[in-house]
Amino acid sequence: MIKRISYFLGVGLFLIHANLYACLDKDTNTQGMLLNPIGKQSILNGSSVDMYDLVSRDCNLECYAKFLDKNNVKFSKQGVLFYIEKKGGITIQVLNNNERGFDGRIICKAKKDYKKLALPSYFKIKGQTTDFQTTDNKSTSRTLSYPKVNRTVYLSLINTLKSKSNNVDINNAFSYFELNDKSEFNLVFDMRRNTGNLVVVYVRNGN
């Protein structure tokens, strides 16, 4: 069960090996730069996005900054985030940078608007701080994070989901529910606390 929840907490990232450059163009793509798509039809906090794993084999971050500057492309850097002011905004989360190259994850605005997976009507919790959705070949998953949720609210949600499920697994940290319609809820909450952060992963199977 922990492995199942860990998988969904990774927001169902689905790696497809192909070199696609929807985010980048000739002014932002250097020689030796490879992108592999992550997920499909992704939506981050209400915005449709494309996401990629990025590897730059022949040019490190300093080299890449000089390349952008040469092409008159505006950019900024804050911590591990590298932001390019083009195509509605391109963000790179830098994971590694060395003398030869760098790698990270890249996100940019999608060309299409994807449809958000609707939560069941009985799910009443509001005020999420993050909302991420992605699709793979078998399912669509939507991951939401809520700060400072009261344990009473969490227990009420558990009772509601139990009444609508045919398979349940609950402990002090994780809760899993397979609903009657074969969709799933995965909840992460520390029940030893009166108030805590709640992560909800709703999965609709059979796309």
Side-chain angles (χ1 to χ4, degrees):
M1 181 52 58
I2 292 177
K3 291 179 66 177
R4 172 190 287 270
I5 293 174
S6 297
Y7 170 79
F8 287 119
L9 283 179
V11 292
L13 295 184
F14 180 70
L15 183 62
I16 308 169
H17 293 286
N19 295 328
L20 302 176
Y21 299 93
C23 280
L24 305 180
D25 57 20
K26 63 182 180 64
D27 292 331
T28 53
N29 176 28
T30 65
Q31 183 176 358
M33 185 174 281
L34 302 175
L35 278 74
N36 288 319
I38 302 173
K40 296 186 297 183
Q41 301 180 19
S42 298
I43 304 174
L44 178 62
N45 295 333
S47 299
S48 298
V49 297
D50 290 327
M51 303 176 67
Y52 301 85
D53 276 334
L54 164 68
V55 176
S56 178
R57 295 177 174 174
D58 303 321
C59 187
N60 65 12
L61 199 61
E62 290 73 22
C63 164
Y64 186 55
K66 292 179 181 179
F67 171 81
L68 295 176
D69 193 47
K70 180 181 178 181
N71 291 327
N72 297 314
V73 177
K74 294 182 180 181
F75 61 89
S76 60
K77 185 177 184 298
Q78 184 174 2
V80 298
L81 297 181
F82 192 91
Y83 181 73
I84 300 171
E85 297 181 27
K86 195 167 187 181
K87 289 192 171 184
I90 302 169
T91 300
I92 301 174
Q93 178 190 6
V94 180
L95 301 178
N96 181 54
N97 183 42
N98 54 50
E99 292 183 359
R100 181 170 180 176
F102 74 97
D103 57 75
R105 296 190 180 97
I106 186 169
I107 182 171
C108 65
K109 184 177 180 180
K111 292 182 178 180
K112 297 181 179 180
D113 288 328
Y114 304 129
K115 184 178 180 181
K116 186 180 291 187
L117 177 64
L119 295 168
S121 59
Y122 54 79
F123 186 86
K124 303 295 185 181
I125 301 178
K126 304 294 183 182
Q128 68 267 18
T129 54
T130 58
D131 185 350
F132 178 76
Q133 176 177 310
T134 191
T135 298
D136 63 23
N137 287 341
K138 297 181 180 180
S139 64
T140 297
S141 62
R142 185 175 171 188
T143 303
L144 307 102
S145 299
Y146 300 86
K148 300 179 180 179
V149 174
N150 188 278
R151 183 171 57 188
T152 302
V153 173
Y154 177 67
L155 292 176
S156 176
L157 175 60
I158 282 181
N159 288 333
T160 299
L161 293 175
K162 284 173 63 177
S163 69
K164 300 179 181 298
S165 301
N166 55 37
N167 189 10
V168 175
D169 187 356
I170 301 172
N171 60 44
N172 285 334
F174 307 105
S175 299
Y176 166 76
F177 305 86
E178 181 184 359
L179 278 64
N180 297 328
D181 64 359
K182 301 302 181 181
S183 60
E184 302 174 25
F185 267 100
N186 299 267
L187 310 178
V188 180
F189 184 86
D190 187 353
M191 283 199 284
R192 296 169 299 180
R193 298 176 178 271
N194 290 326
T195 303
N197 296 326
L198 170 64
V199 176
V200 176
V201 185
Y202 177 59
V203 182
R204 172 67 68 174
N205 296 305
N207 293 315

